Amino acid sequence: MKAGTVLRDWNLITHALNIAKNEWKWLLENPIKEVKRPKEPPHRERRIEQDEIDRLLFALGYEYTEEPETISARVGAALIFAIETAMRTGEIASLTWTYVDIEKRVAHLPMTKNSFARNVPLSSEAIRIIEQLKSVNESAESVFNLRTSQIDALLRKAKGRAMIEDLHFHDTRAEAITRLAKKVDILTLARISGHRDMRPASNLLQRKY
């Protein structure tokens, strides 16, 4: 289990025990009060270089000027879309045409990881990808017509062919937030990325540009 997962569970349990003690009076003391809290994991500094993006897109068979008709090519489109929008893998896979407004240049996410809906502004590049996908996927309910398992599996294979190590699809989110930080203030950045806690967004602002 990753350190970040342990810490999230730790914080949740601590909060629940504090409520049981302070509000419900079920406990005299928080039983884990004196237990040493796990250390915060080091912040990941991985940036995605343009050369790596180009190699991955080549390995996935994605072409900027061609319709992404294959599953692999659509994973390539999803990769670029993620870097443009800071959307998570699951959010991209579950995005439906109903919630994409090309005229207003926004994608609405009715359900996200933190259970809050949010609107994601779409850049010109993101709109270009949406337009590409309309010609091959408009009859499908979802925009990318992909499952998260397909994205993970095909990206893993593409990394091997492109000889790229230590790269995960989730790194696209951090890369997107780092790029967006050059254009918007931190409150706007948090609204776009869906961070309810400002600390993760603040940590990303400290990454090297």
Side-chain angles (χ1 to χ4, degrees), residues 3 10 27 31 42 55-56 78 130 136 148 152 156 160 163 172 199 202 208:
W10 178 278
L27 299 171
R55 285 153 57 194
L56 283 171
I130 292 292
V136 294
T148 55
D152 292 338
R156 187 164 54 249
M163 294 185 291
T172 60
R199 286 173 295 180
S202 298
K208 296 178 181 178

Coordinates of all heavy atoms in Angstrom, one line a residue, residues 3 10 27 31 42 55-56 78 130 136 148 152 156 160 163 172 199 202 208:
A3 N 2.3 5.1 0.5 CA 2.3 6.0 1.7 C 1.1 7.0 1.7 O 0.5 7.2 2.7 CB 3.6 6.7 1.8
W10 N -5.4 7.1 7.5 CA -5.0 7.5 8.8 C -5.8 8.8 9.2 O -6.4 8.9 10.3 CB -3.5 7.8 8.9 CG -3.0 8.3 10.2 CD1 -3.1 9.6 10.7 CD2 -2.4 7.5 11.3 NE1 -2.5 9.7 12.0 CE2 -2.1 8.4 12.3 CE3 -2.1 6.2 11.4 CZ2 -1.5 8.0 13.5 CZ3 -1.5 5.8 12.6 CH2 -1.2 6.7 13.6
L27 N -16.0 7.8 23.5 CA -14.6 7.4 23.9 C -14.1 8.5 24.9 O -14.5 9.7 24.8 CB -13.7 7.4 22.7 CG -13.9 6.4 21.6 CD1 -13.0 6.6 20.4 CD2 -13.7 5.0 22.1
P31 N -7.8 6.6 20.7 CA -6.8 5.5 21.0 C -5.6 5.6 20.2 O -4.6 4.9 20.5 CB -7.6 4.3 20.7 CG -8.7 4.7 19.8 CD -9.1 6.1 20.2
P42 N 7.5 11.7 -0.2 CA 8.2 12.8 -0.9 C 7.3 13.2 -2.2 O 6.7 12.3 -2.8 CB 9.5 12.2 -1.4 CG 9.3 10.7 -1.3 CD 8.3 10.5 -0.3
R55 N 7.1 10.4 -28.5 CA 7.4 8.9 -28.7 C 6.3 8.1 -28.2 O 6.0 7.0 -28.8 CB 8.7 8.6 -27.8 CG 10.0 9.1 -28.4 CD 11.0 9.4 -27.4 NE 11.4 8.3 -26.5 CZ 12.1 8.4 -25.4 NH1 12.5 9.6 -25.0 NH2 12.3 7.3 -24.7
L56 N 5.5 8.5 -27.2 CA 4.4 7.8 -26.8 C 3.3 7.8 -27.8 O 2.6 6.8 -28.1 CB 3.8 8.3 -25.4 CG 4.6 8.0 -24.2 CD1 4.1 8.8 -23.0 CD2 4.5 6.5 -23.9
A78 N -6.3 10.7 -25.5 CA -6.6 10.9 -24.0 C -5.4 11.4 -23.3 O -5.5 12.2 -22.4 CB -7.1 9.6 -23.4
I130 N -11.6 16.9 -29.2 CA -13.0 16.6 -29.1 C -13.6 16.5 -30.5 O -14.4 15.6 -30.8 CB -13.7 17.7 -28.3 CG1 -13.3 17.6 -26.8 CG2 -15.3 17.5 -28.4 CD1 -13.8 16.4 -26.1
V136 N -15.5 9.8 -35.0 CA -15.4 8.4 -34.9 C -16.2 7.8 -33.7 O -16.5 6.6 -33.7 CB -13.9 7.9 -34.7 CG1 -13.1 8.2 -36.0 CG2 -13.3 8.6 -33.6
T148 N -10.8 2.6 -18.2 CA -9.6 3.0 -17.5 C -8.6 1.9 -17.7 O -7.4 2.1 -17.8 CB -9.8 3.3 -16.1 OG1 -10.5 2.2 -15.4 CG2 -10.7 4.6 -15.9
D152 N -4.7 2.2 -19.0 CA -3.5 1.8 -18.3 C -2.7 0.7 -19.0 O -1.5 0.8 -19.1 CB -4.0 1.2 -16.9 CG -4.6 2.3 -16.0 OD1 -4.3 3.5 -16.2 OD2 -5.3 2.0 -15.1
R156 N 1.0 1.3 -20.8 CA 2.1 0.5 -20.2 C 2.9 -0.1 -21.4 O 4.1 -0.1 -21.4 CB 1.6 -0.5 -19.3 CG 2.7 -1.3 -18.6 CD 2.1 -2.0 -17.4 NE 1.0 -2.9 -17.7 CZ -0.3 -2.7 -17.3 NH1 -0.5 -1.6 -16.6 NH2 -1.2 -3.5 -17.6
G160 N 6.9 0.8 -23.0 CA 7.9 -0.2 -23.3 C 8.4 0.0 -24.7 O 9.7 -0.1 -24.9
M163 N 10.5 3.0 -24.8 CA 11.7 3.0 -23.9 C 11.6 4.1 -22.9 O 12.6 4.9 -22.7 CB 13.0 2.9 -24.6 CG 13.2 1.7 -25.5 SD 14.8 1.5 -26.3 CE 14.6 2.8 -27.5
T172 N 0.3 13.0 -16.0 CA -0.3 14.0 -16.9 C -1.0 15.1 -16.1 O -1.1 16.2 -16.5 CB -1.2 13.4 -18.0 OG1 -2.3 12.7 -17.3 CG2 -0.5 12.4 -18.8
R199 N -3.3 22.3 -0.4 CA -1.9 21.9 -0.3 C -1.3 21.2 -1.5 O -0.2 21.4 -1.9 CB -1.7 21.1 1.0 CG -1.7 21.9 2.3 CD -1.8 21.0 3.5 NE -3.0 20.2 3.6 CZ -3.2 19.4 4.6 NH1 -2.3 19.2 5.5 NH2 -4.3 18.7 4.6
S202 N -0.6 23.7 -4.1 CA 0.5 24.5 -3.7 C 1.9 23.7 -3.9 O 2.8 24.3 -4.4 CB 0.4 24.9 -2.3 OG -0.8 25.7 -2.1
K208 N 9.7 22.5 -10.6 CA 10.5 23.2 -11.6 C 9.8 23.4 -12.9 O 9.2 22.4 -13.4 CB 11.8 22.4 -11.8 CG 12.7 22.3 -10.6 CD 13.9 21.5 -10.8 CE 14.8 21.4 -9.6 NZ 16.0 20.6 -9.8

